[in-house]
Amino acid sequence: MKKHTLALGVSIALLSTYSNAQASSEKEIWGGLFGEYYSVYPEKFEPNTAYDSGMGWGGEIGMKLTPDWGFRFEVAKLDLDAERGSGSITGERIGVDALYFINQSNYYIFGGLKNQRLDESYRMADLGLGAHWQLSDKWKVITEIAGYYDFGQGNPEYSAKLGVAYSFGKTGGQRVSKDTDNDGVIDQRDLCPNTPFGATVDADGCTLKATDSDQDGVIDAKDQCANTPMNDKVDANGCSIFSEESKTMSLKILFDNNSSKLKNIDATSVQEFVDFMRRYATTDAVIEGYASAPGTDEYNMKLSVKRAEAVRQYLVDQYNIDSARLEAVGYGETKLLDKANTREAHQKNRRIEAYVTATVKIAVSK
């Protein structure tokens, strides 16, 4: 009576699981063939004959109702060798198991009821561990170890199974491979669920040791600027932090009285000015021409413009500076440096001044 009650309980549990899974789109059906090593309790049969172990083969049909639960029906043929006496004994095993897939992975715990028929029928319960090793979307290898308990004799028995299974398809709609922790490994294959978002994981979904190749304090998985200089301060993305600074370069050239011809040019200062223009290629320069006080305002204004244009053209011709980056402006005698009516003052006022300012980014040090 107890045996029938237990069998009924297992059946009700399986039917309940199947009923709760009807709304799921993750049901999978598979069929498989297997071989197994079976170790029988030595004193199970008649006193003068003991059977040690043997081989078996069989088949199973299973259904995965949800990512967590499934069941299977199994039939096996057994061939046991005698340990004492002679000969062997053959028989069958038939039964049903419930399967719980650990963390929705390919590893599972199973348990159920079996009827074993050798010299007589034996009612047994089994409990074991197994794994489905995916070869492709359809094919997988089955490995299991199990222990059996004989309700009549109270004897323990054991088996190890190796087989191959084929997935016939899915029921209830298209199966969606879920990736709950968004680590790129689907839940069915993820051995480390709930890994932190953004963490780098291996093929089993487990976090790899965080690396920081450029040692800027931001791990490679989040570093958007690899190989930043060691001394640079970086932001949350691993990129160097810059501050903006203004750099100014000036150029001064003097002229003879009533002349716009260039002479006695300081090549060093001109080269520094040109180098600055080339380094900061987005900058523009204003070339300002000036005259001394002697002469009319109109004459001095025209002379200062000629001087500015002469310097502009010199920079274009000799140094290939883009003319669009140079603006020539004349101020005549409106901005005298020295208002004295002396030769030295007039010489100082006959001049060219050129100014260029660039806003550059300077890396902030740690």
Side-chain angles (χ1 to χ4, degrees):
M1 180 66 179
K2 291 182 180 180
K3 301 173 188 174
H4 294 294
T5 301
L6 180 59
L8 179 61
V10 172
S11 301
I12 292 174
L14 289 173
L15 289 173
S16 176
T17 301
Y18 178 80
S19 176
N20 292 335
Q22 287 299 305
S24 172
S25 61
E26 303 254 350
K27 294 187 287 293
E28 175 190 357
I29 300 174
W30 75 86
L33 298 175
F34 61 85
E36 70 175 332
Y37 170 82
Y38 193 89
S39 177
V40 71
Y41 188 72
E43 306 299 331
K44 184 170 185 171
F45 307 109
E46 62 270 17
N48 62 336
T49 302
Y51 290 88
D52 180 19
S53 61
M55 303 302 294
W57 59 272
E60 66 177 54
I61 295 178
M63 177 181 287
K64 194 172 185 180
L65 303 173
T66 71
D68 296 298
W69 287 97
F71 73 92
R72 57 112 180 269
F73 176 77
E74 178 192 79
V75 176
K77 181 79 172 179
L78 299 176
D79 187 1
L80 307 177
D81 297 323
E83 184 181 66
R84 297 195 304 269
S86 61
S88 63
I89 187 169
T90 60
E92 299 84 27
R93 184 183 69 241
I94 186 171
V96 63
D97 290 303
L99 288 73
Y100 173 70
F101 291 87
I102 304 169
N103 293 328
Q104 301 182 5
S105 69
N106 294 330
Y107 300 92
Y108 55 91
I109 301 172
F110 65 91
L113 295 175
K114 302 292 172 68
N115 182 71
Q116 185 185 83
R117 181 177 293 276
L118 295 167
D119 59 333
E120 61 179 274
S121 292
Y122 300 91
R123 302 291 190 271
M124 310 180 78
D126 66 323
L127 181 66
L129 296 173
H132 286 172
W133 306 94
Q134 293 292 148
L135 299 177
S136 66
D137 290 340
K138 293 292 185 181
W139 289 97
K140 54 191 171 185
V141 172
I142 299 174
T143 55
E144 289 182 0
I145 55 173
Y148 296 84
Y149 178 76
D150 187 331
F151 288 116
Q153 297 181 345
N155 298 327
E157 298 178 354
Y158 308 95
S159 71
K161 178 194 292 185
L162 176 65
V164 62
Y166 178 82
S167 294
F168 293 103
K170 308 167 184 67
T171 62
Q174 183 178 4
R175 182 177 181 178
V176 178
S177 296
K178 298 172 65 177
D179 180 12
T180 304
D181 55 7
N182 296 311
D183 61 358
V185 180
I186 62 174
D187 292 349
Q188 289 87 343
R189 300 183 181 181
D190 199 333
L191 301 184
C192 299
N194 303 317
T195 51
F197 179 75
T200 303
V201 300
D202 58 21
D204 294 322
C206 297
T207 303
L208 293 173
K209 182 180 179 181
T211 55
D212 179 14
S213 300
D214 56 7
Q215 301 181 32
D216 60 358
V218 180
I219 63 173
D220 291 351
K222 298 182 178 180
D223 199 332
Q224 298 180 14
C225 300
N227 303 318
T228 50
M230 289 288 292
N231 294 327
D232 283 9
K233 187 176 182 180
V234 300
D235 57 21
N237 295 321
C239 298
S240 297
I241 298 175
F242 293 94
S243 64
E244 292 189 346
E245 295 183 7
S246 293
K247 291 183 175 291
T248 301
M249 176 63 67
S250 63
L251 174 65
K252 294 184 179 181
I253 299 176
L254 302 179
F255 292 85
D256 289 339
N257 187 36
N258 294 326
S259 174
S260 59
K261 293 183 179 181
L262 302 178
K263 61 182 293 187
N264 299 325
I265 298 174
D266 185 351
T268 301
S269 63
V270 172
Q271 188 62 54
E272 290 177 354
F273 181 84
V274 170
D275 290 344
F276 187 91
M277 293 290 291
R278 288 173 176 170
R279 180 178 180 184
Y280 304 106
T282 60
T283 59
D284 296 331
V286 177
I287 301 172
E288 301 174 351
Y290 298 93
S292 57
T296 64
D297 292 345
E298 182 181 358
Y299 174 79
N300 286 336
M301 183 61 70
K302 291 180 180 179
L303 182 59
S304 66
V305 171
K306 287 183 179 181
R307 289 171 173 169
E309 290 178 344
V311 173
R312 176 178 178 274
Q313 195 61 43
Y314 174 77
L315 294 173
V316 172
D317 295 340
Q318 298 297 318
Y319 295 97
N320 295 318
I321 302 297
D322 185 356
S323 60
R325 298 176 60 198
L326 302 173
E327 179 184 2
V329 179
Y331 288 97
E333 57 183 278
T334 60
K335 296 183 178 181
L336 299 177
L337 295 178
D338 191 337
K339 295 183 180 181
N341 188 19
T342 64
R343 180 177 179 178
E344 291 75 12
H346 297 331
Q347 178 66 42
K348 185 185 296 184
N349 291 327
R350 294 191 298 269
R351 69 194 189 278
I352 282 290
E353 294 181 2
Y355 296 96
V356 58
T357 299
T359 300
V360 296
K361 291 184 176 181
I362 306 297
V364 178
S365 299
K366 294 180 180 179

